[in-house]
Amino acid sequence: MDDIIPNQVSQKAVILIVEDDTLLIKMYKTKFELDGFTVITAQDGESGLKIASEKTVDFIILDVMLPKISGLDLLEKLRQIPGKENVKVIILSNLNNPADAQKAFNLGAKEYLLKSNLTPSEIVKKIHQYLNV
Amino acid sequence: MTDQPLSNSPAEELAKVTKEIYERNVELAISNRTLSLLRKMYEIMSSSLNTSETSQRLADAIVKDLNFQKGMISLVDKSGDNLETIAVSPQEPRDSQLEKLLGKPFKQFSVSLKELENFCVKAFTEKKTRLTNNLYDVFIGAVDEKISLKIQEILHIQTTIIYPITFGKETLGVLSLGIDKHIGSLSRAELESMHELVEVVGIALERVRIYNDLQVANEKLKELDRQKDEFLSVAAHELRAPMTAIKGYLSMVVEGDGGSLTPQTKDFIGETITANERLIRLVNNLLNISRIEKGRLVYRMGDINLSQVAKTVSNEFQVIAQEKKLLLNLVVSDNIKDLVYVDQDRIHEVVANLISNAIKYTDIGKITIHLSNPDEHHIKLEVIDSGHGISPEEQEKLFQKFYRTGSSIGKAMGTGLGLYISKLLVEKFGGKIGFSSEVGKGSNFYFELQLK
C-alpha cells in the first residue's frame, strides 16, 4: 500500500492527510514532518476512511473532492464509528462552497479552509492551536 | 333586319337592377364575412406562438366561417423533404368514421416532395393554387386511391382547393380546403377573399416560425453560457492545486525550511511570491465570478474600519507605484467615522482593484485615496488618479464583464473582471460604486457604504 507511509517515531502527534494531489501531499507531509509531526497519507476517500477508523490519528487534514468517496462522506461515516466522534479535522478544500462548509461544521470540523489561501506553516499553526485546546 | 329594342321595358330594367343589387349585397356579405374572419385570424395570430396550435385554430376558423367540409394545413418539415400535416379541422362524427377506416387519426399525413403528381406538392413547388374533384390527388403518396375515395365519400367533398402558403419569396406549406359543391358555385368574390385569407395564414405561420427559431437560438446561447461557466470553474479549480504547491513551497523556502538564504535570494523569492499571489487572485476572480452571480459565495461579514483597510491596501501598492514613479497618497478626513459591516477580504479586494486600476492606467503624476463622510450615515472611498481618463464610449462599458479599457490600443491587462466584481461586491454590501472621468484629466473611482 503505497499511500500509507507511517513515520517511525511514535511519540509525536499523528496527522492524516487525505488529499489526491500528489505534489500537495508531498509538500504538506514534508512541512508537517519538519515541524515534528508523524504523517500518514491517503490519496482517496476510501483508504482515508480505512486509515482513520483503524489507526490512532490525532488530526485529519481533509480535502473535499476526492476519488471514490468525498471528504465530507468520509467525515460523516467516520463520526459514526465509536471513539472517532471527536477526532480533530480541518477541511482543506479547493472550492469555497457554503453548503459544504456548513455540512463540515455540522460534522464537527474545526475549520473549512481554502488551500490556496494558506501556506503550510499557517496550517501547522492551526494544527498546534487545536491540538493544544 | 330584325327589330332591336332601343331600351328595355321598365319591368326588365327593374329586374336587372334588382339582380345587380342582390349581387352587390352578396358581395358585401362575403366581404363582411371575410373581414370578420380576418379579424379572428389576427386575434389567433397574436395569441399563440405555437405552430400546431396556430395552424389548428386558423384551419378551424376558416372552415367554420366559410362553411367548408374540411381544412388541412401541411407545412414543409425540418428536413425540407416532406410536407407534413400539422392541422386538420375537426368534424364529428365523420372523423371517427375516418379513424376507423384508416386505423389512425385523420391527421397524420406526410408526403414526400418527390411525389410530383401529388397536388399538394404541385401547389407547393409551383406556388400555384390547385383544384381537383378527386381527393386522391391530394393524398398521392400518403393514402392509397381506394381509401382516398372513401374519405371523399365520408366527408362529402366534391372539390378540393389547394393553396400554397407563402411568405415573401418563401413557401411554407399548403392549405387544402374541401368543399361539398362544385367549384363553379363559388363566386369570384369568394375565391378572391380566399387569397387574402391564405396570405394571413402565411404571415401568421412565418411569425411563429421566426419566434421558434429565436427560441432555439436563445436556448443554444444559454447552453453555451452554462458551458462557459463550467469551463471557467473547472479550469480555475484545476489551476488551484499547482498554485497552492508553488505558494506552499516558496513560503517554506523563504521561511528557511530548506536552509538559510542570502538576502538577495530572499528578495527574489519575495518577488515570486508576490507574482504568485497575483496569479492566485486572478484565478480566484475567475472562479468567484460565477459564484457571486449565482449568489453562492460565502461572505464573512463583520465590523470593519474602512480606513484600516485603505491603509493596508495602499501600503501593499506602494512598491508598484514607486516603480512607475507615481505618488500614492492616503488622505483621511479628520474625525472620520469609518465602521462598516462588510466581508473584510472582499472589501480589501475592491479597494485593491480600484488602486491597481489607477496605477495601471496612470503614467505620470499621482494617485490619491481619499476617505470622507459625505453625510453622517455614509463613508466614501475615492481613488483619484491623474491618468489617461476614460472616453464617454468606454465609460458606458466599464462595469461590464470581461471589459478592458484600452484593449484596442494593446494596453489591456488582466481578466477584465475587476470592476465587474467590485460592483457586484459593493452592491452586495448595500453600497454603490461609481466614477467620474475626463479624457486627459484623470479619473475618480469611488464607492460609498453605509456606516454601522
Side-chain angles (χ1 to χ4, degrees):
Chain A
M1 287 176 86
D2 47 27
D3 54 1
I4 303 172
I5 310 158
N7 191 291
Q8 312 300 318
V9 193
S10 56
Q11 295 291 344
K12 306 165 181 175
V14 178
I15 299 178
L16 167 65
I17 304 171
V18 190
E19 161 69 62
D20 62 332
D21 191 284
T22 325
L23 185 57
L24 291 182
I25 286 195
K26 197 175 146 198
M27 178 179 82
Y28 291 130
K29 183 169 152 44
T30 309
K31 178 62 185 173
F32 296 171
E33 284 178 352
L34 274 172
D35 287 24
F37 294 105
T38 297
V39 177
I40 312 177
T41 65
Q43 274 189 281
D44 65 71
E46 210 172 83
S47 56
L49 179 62
K50 192 164 182 292
I51 297 167
S53 46
E54 289 172 3
K55 297 197 184 237
T56 305
V57 171
D58 300 302
F59 212 104
I60 304 175
I61 299 292
L62 186 59
D63 193 4
V64 175
M65 283 168 64
L66 287 168
K68 296 185 184 170
I69 61 172
S70 84
L72 292 176
D73 288 347
L74 182 162
L75 189 54
E76 192 170 4
K77 291 201 169 90
L78 184 70
R79 291 306 189 209
Q80 288 160 11
I81 300 171
K84 300 292 179 184
E85 300 89 345
N86 297 314
V87 178
K88 290 169 176 140
V89 174
I90 282 182
I91 303 284
L92 208 52
S93 173
N94 264 327
L95 286 176
N96 185 354
N97 184 328
D100 281 359
Q102 195 51 55
K103 198 174 170 203
F105 289 130
N106 291 344
L107 290 167
K110 298 293 178 196
E111 301 223 19
Y112 181 98
L113 303 170
L114 273 187
K115 271 179 225 174
S116 59
N117 284 355
L118 295 150
T119 62
S121 59
E122 285 166 334
I123 296 172
V124 168
K125 257 185 225 158
K126 299 246 179 215
I127 296 173
H128 277 302
Q129 180 192 326
Y130 290 111
L131 279 180
N132 290 335
V133 170
Chain B
M1 237 176 101
T2 47
D3 277 347
Q4 280 284 339
L6 289 173
S7 63
N8 292 327
S9 70
E12 279 171 326
E13 196 64 37
L14 185 67
K16 198 180 149 199
V17 170
T18 310
K19 190 175 170 239
E20 205 161 291
I21 290 175
Y22 172 75
E23 277 171 2
R24 285 288 153 86
N25 263 328
V26 169
E27 265 176 43
L28 197 65
I30 291 168
S31 292
N32 267 332
R33 200 178 59 180
T34 309
L35 214 59
S36 102
L37 180 54
L38 277 174
R39 216 187 53 221
K40 240 186 243 179
M41 288 169 73
Y42 277 112
E43 268 169 32
I44 292 169
M45 188 159 104
S46 56
S47 66
S48 167
L49 282 167
N50 172 294
T51 308
S52 63
E53 190 194 330
T54 306
S55 304
Q56 186 68 51
R57 289 174 62 188
L58 290 173
D60 293 355
I62 292 172
V63 167
K64 198 165 156 245
D65 280 33
L66 302 183
N67 295 318
F68 293 144
Q69 302 303 307
K70 228 19 168 187
M72 179 165 106
I73 292 180
S74 313
L75 298 176
V76 65
D77 69 2
K78 279 205 183 91
S79 68
D81 297 333
N82 305 293
L83 276 177
E84 211 172 326
T85 303
I86 303 294
V88 180
S89 64
Q91 191 190 35
E92 287 299 349
R94 292 175 186 171
D95 284 356
S96 304
Q97 277 174 273
L98 290 175
E99 193 167 341
K100 222 178 264 173
L101 176 73
L102 295 163
K104 61 176 185 182
F106 181 71
K107 201 170 194 175
Q108 301 160 358
F109 302 113
S110 174
V111 57
S112 161
L113 286 175
K114 287 182 187 136
E115 295 285 351
L116 298 175
E117 293 306 306
N118 183 302
F119 274 38
C120 291
V121 175
K122 279 184 200 232
F124 178 85
T125 47
E126 294 163 12
K127 294 188 190 186
K128 275 185 191 153
T129 305
R130 284 275 166 174
L131 197 74
T132 179
N133 292 323
N134 183 354
L135 193 62
Y136 179 54
D137 287 333
V138 176
F139 287 126
I140 293 173
V143 179
D144 74 38
E145 190 167 6
K146 256 191 194 165
I147 293 181
S148 296
L149 288 175
K150 274 190 189 154
I151 295 173
Q152 180 157 17
E153 207 181 295
I154 292 171
L155 291 175
H156 299 267
I157 289 174
Q158 225 188 81
T159 312
T160 306
I161 319 174
I162 304 115
Y163 294 94
I165 303 171
T166 56
F167 182 85
K169 284 181 183 164
E170 217 178 331
T171 315
L172 310 172
V174 295
L175 167 67
S176 315
L177 291 170
I179 314 167
D180 63 351
K181 41 195 168 185
H182 190 262
I183 187 69
S185 64
L186 290 177
S187 70
R188 215 174 52 127
E190 273 178 300
L191 289 173
E192 270 171 15
S193 74
M194 276 311 301
H195 279 283
E196 268 176 74
L197 296 173
V198 177
E199 216 165 273
V200 175
V201 172
I203 295 170
L205 293 178
E206 176 66 7
R207 181 173 171 272
V208 171
R209 204 186 60 137
I210 290 172
Y211 175 80
N212 288 332
D213 284 356
L214 273 177
Q215 286 282 95
V216 171
N218 203 10
E219 281 306 311
K220 267 190 197 152
L221 280 178
K222 273 190 200 159
E223 171 61 18
L224 277 176
D225 195 49
R226 199 192 58 72
Q227 284 179 3
K228 179 216 70 193
D229 280 353
E230 195 178 306
F231 169 76
L232 277 184
S233 186
V234 170
H237 183 248
E238 288 299 313
L239 287 169
R240 272 184 165 172
M243 282 181 340
T244 306
I246 293 170
K247 174 182 171 135
Y249 274 118
L250 286 175
S251 73
M252 284 159 71
V253 172
V254 95
E255 284 159 15
D257 284 341
S260 60
L261 305 173
T262 66
Q264 197 174 26
T265 310
K266 236 180 187 169
D267 278 353
F268 292 165
I269 302 282
E271 297 289 349
T272 319
I273 288 174
T274 310
N276 190 53
E277 285 301 324
R278 201 169 107 206
L279 187 64
I280 291 175
R281 267 206 308 278
L282 288 173
V283 171
N284 283 347
N285 272 354
L286 283 179
L287 192 59
N288 282 343
I289 192 80
S290 61
R291 300 186 160 265
I292 300 175
E293 284 175 334
K294 291 179 184 128
R296 290 206 321 238
L297 196 77
V298 197
Y299 296 97
R300 292 192 196 118
M301 302 295 279
D303 294 344
I304 307 293
N305 289 99
L306 192 60
S307 39
Q308 195 52 51
V309 175
K311 202 187 240 173
T312 311
V313 183
S314 94
N315 284 340
E316 279 174 19
F317 279 95
Q318 282 303 339
V319 180
I320 308 173
Q322 276 161 22
E323 275 171 9
K324 280 190 86 176
K325 299 196 166 55
L326 297 169
L327 214 60
L328 180 61
N329 280 329
L330 173 63
V331 180
V332 182
S333 299
D334 293 339
N335 304 321
I336 189 118
K337 286 190 216 153
D338 70 343
L339 199 64
V340 288
Y341 186 68
V342 294
D343 177 318
Q344 176 159 9
D345 290 344
R346 300 294 167 210
I347 206 69
H348 185 285
E349 195 177 324
V350 173
V351 178
N353 196 276
L354 296 185
I355 298 176
S356 147
N357 276 349
I359 294 176
K360 200 188 293 177
Y361 294 105
T362 306
D363 294 331
I364 303 165
K366 60 175 183 177
I367 290 149
T368 307
I369 305 150
H370 186 225
L371 274 165
S372 60
N373 294 119
D375 58 57
E376 54 180 319
H377 301 297
H378 292 88
I379 182 159
K380 186 177 192 180
L381 185 146
E382 294 167 279
V383 179
I384 307 155
D385 68 47
S386 58
H388 317 304
I390 303 154
S391 69
E393 301 85 62
E394 288 196 309
Q395 289 187 13
E396 274 177 35
K397 301 177 195 155
L398 219 51
F399 286 100
Q400 283 174 12
K401 192 162 33 166
F402 302 123
Y403 185 72
R404 299 177 301 175
T405 69
S407 47
S408 52
I409 51 170
K411 273 211 158 190
M413 284 160 68
T415 51
L417 288 171
L419 280 179
Y420 179 70
I421 291 183
S422 299
K423 184 172 191 287
L424 291 178
L425 289 174
V426 169
E427 284 169 3
K428 167 78 194 168
F429 301 141
K432 59 177 184 187
I433 190 165
F435 67 93
S436 59
S437 183
E438 210 176 312
V439 175
K441 287 195 175 169
S443 309
N444 177 346
F445 278 82
Y446 59 85
F447 65 82
E448 262 184 54
L449 291 170
Q450 189 153 17
L451 287 168
K452 174 84 174 149

